[in-house]
Amino acid sequence: MRLRGRVAVVTGASRGAGRGIARVLGEEGATVYVTGRSTRAGGSPTGRPETIEDTAEEVTARGGTGIPVRCDHTDDAQVRALFDRVRAEQGRLDLLVSNAWGGYEREVRIEPCWTLDPAHLDLMLAAGLRAHLLTVQRAAPLLTDTRGGLVVLTTWAVGEPYHGNLYYDVAKTAINRIPVGLAEELRPYGVTAVAVSPGWMHTELMDLTPEQAAQTESTEFVGRAVAALAADPDVRRHSGSVRTVVELAAEYGFTDVNGRPTSGFWEQYARDLGKEHVSGTER
């Protein structure tokens, strides 16, 4: 219960990484506002069965307090209303996890850039990059008033190697720049900003073979990374950086739910980078 008394907002938390993060924060005793567009009353825009109410109940069942709030993070009025509500009900915000991402409403395929559909780019920018920027912008007054808080943006540690989908690579790289600017602007208020990259997660959307699933990590692995950062009294040393879950697992000593501090995906990723480095050196 390291986060007892802390107030958190986790966006895009009806499923996937957001749900895993919210669960772990609940386990640590936090009050968690669970946001997203999928509700029991209105259904899901993508037809999925998971809802923000489901996640909020899991947060409470694990020892925290889960509060579902329907919010489309592309809509400025709804985002403003979310943080106005948090201020009215809690008077503070200690942790913002900006996780909403519309780019997975369509499959992110590895294909030549000239075959990509611009409609998918629009999703990544509007419900991804813009949603992150809008969310942190509207949360900032409450974070700066609270002081000493933390902003975590979920991302992908693209850059090396190239992802293979130009839209995705560019959008995620842009998101990775957000904590750089936030670190500068929020430093006077004691607020830390960091991007955290999970690896290949086994989410509700995936229909994997047992062999493929064995290479993945759970959505709670990134949740444990966020909880470790939120509980660290010296977290500001990470401000402005992009960290992977395996780097944070090594630093803080946590594991995934299966007891492993890494996954088959990350092990292959390290091998691939090592091979590229060696071949580059030889050239």
Side-chain angles (χ1 to χ4, degrees):
M1 292 293 176
R2 294 176 296 175
L3 302 180
R4 176 72 70 190
R6 306 277 189 93
V7 178
V9 169
V10 182
T11 75
S14 56
R15 64 186 64 86
R19 190 171 197 163
I21 293 167
R23 285 169 172 163
V24 176
L25 295 179
E27 201 168 69
E28 295 284 0
T31 295
V32 184
Y33 284 78
V34 176
T35 80
R37 297 174 298 166
S38 300
T39 67
R40 290 173 181 168
S44 165
T46 61
R48 294 290 309 175
E50 304 86 11
T51 68
I52 54 175
E53 291 89 351
D54 297 336
T55 303
E57 287 176 0
E58 291 186 19
V59 169
T60 301
R62 291 202 181 193
T65 301
I67 303 172
V69 181
R70 190 193 184 284
C71 183
D72 181 342
H73 285 268
T74 68
D75 186 319
D76 190 20
Q78 292 185 41
V79 178
R80 286 178 183 270
L82 165 65
F83 293 107
D84 286 346
R85 176 175 171 178
V86 176
R87 183 185 289 276
E89 293 179 354
Q90 308 295 334
R92 62 184 298 112
L93 178 60
D94 301 286
L95 170 62
L96 168 64
V97 182
S98 186
N99 169 75
W101 166 258
Y104 294 143
E105 292 182 13
R106 300 178 61 171
E107 184 181 356
V108 181
R109 297 178 178 174
I110 307 300
E111 58 182 302
C113 64
W114 54 88
T115 68
L116 297 174
D117 183 353
H120 200 179
L121 174 63
D122 294 340
L123 280 173
M124 292 185 190
L125 295 181
L129 177 61
R130 183 181 182 275
H132 279 300
L133 288 167
L134 190 60
T135 298
V136 297
Q137 183 180 0
R138 299 311 177 205
L142 185 51
L143 287 163
T144 55
D145 286 350
T146 303
R147 294 179 175 266
L150 172 65
V151 177
V152 175
L153 298 102
T154 56
T155 187
W156 175 251
V158 295
E160 232 188 323
Y162 169 61
H163 178 269
N165 181 298
L166 184 62
Y167 290 167
Y168 187 87
D169 195 285
V170 170
K172 289 295 187 178
T173 300
I175 290 169
N176 292 345
R177 286 292 297 177
I178 297 175
V180 176
L182 287 180
E184 291 295 320
E185 297 197 19
L186 299 178
R187 183 175 294 112
Y189 306 93
V191 179
T192 297
V194 59
V196 175
S197 174
W200 187 20
M201 294 181 296
H202 195 171
T203 71
E204 301 90 344
L205 298 173
M206 294 180 176
D207 183 18
L208 303 179
T209 66
E211 293 75 16
Q212 290 173 324
Q215 302 302 306
T216 65
E217 63 201 54
S218 79
T219 57
E220 293 192 25
F221 197 25
V222 67
R224 293 180 177 187
V226 172
L229 289 168
D232 183 354
D234 190 31
V235 69
R236 66 186 62 186
R237 70 186 186 280
H238 295 298
S239 201
S241 67
V242 178
R243 306 301 306 276
T244 67
V245 291
V246 287
E247 289 172 340
L248 294 172
E251 178 173 344
Y252 288 104
F254 63 85
T255 67
D256 200 350
V257 295
N258 61 7
R260 296 194 64 205
T262 186
S263 69
F265 167 82
W266 285 113
E267 290 166 346
Q268 183 61 51
Y269 183 82
R271 287 194 293 269
D272 290 344
L273 287 184
K275 290 176 184 177
E276 288 179 6
H277 177 73
V278 170
S279 63
T281 302
E282 289 173 347
R283 283 199 298 270

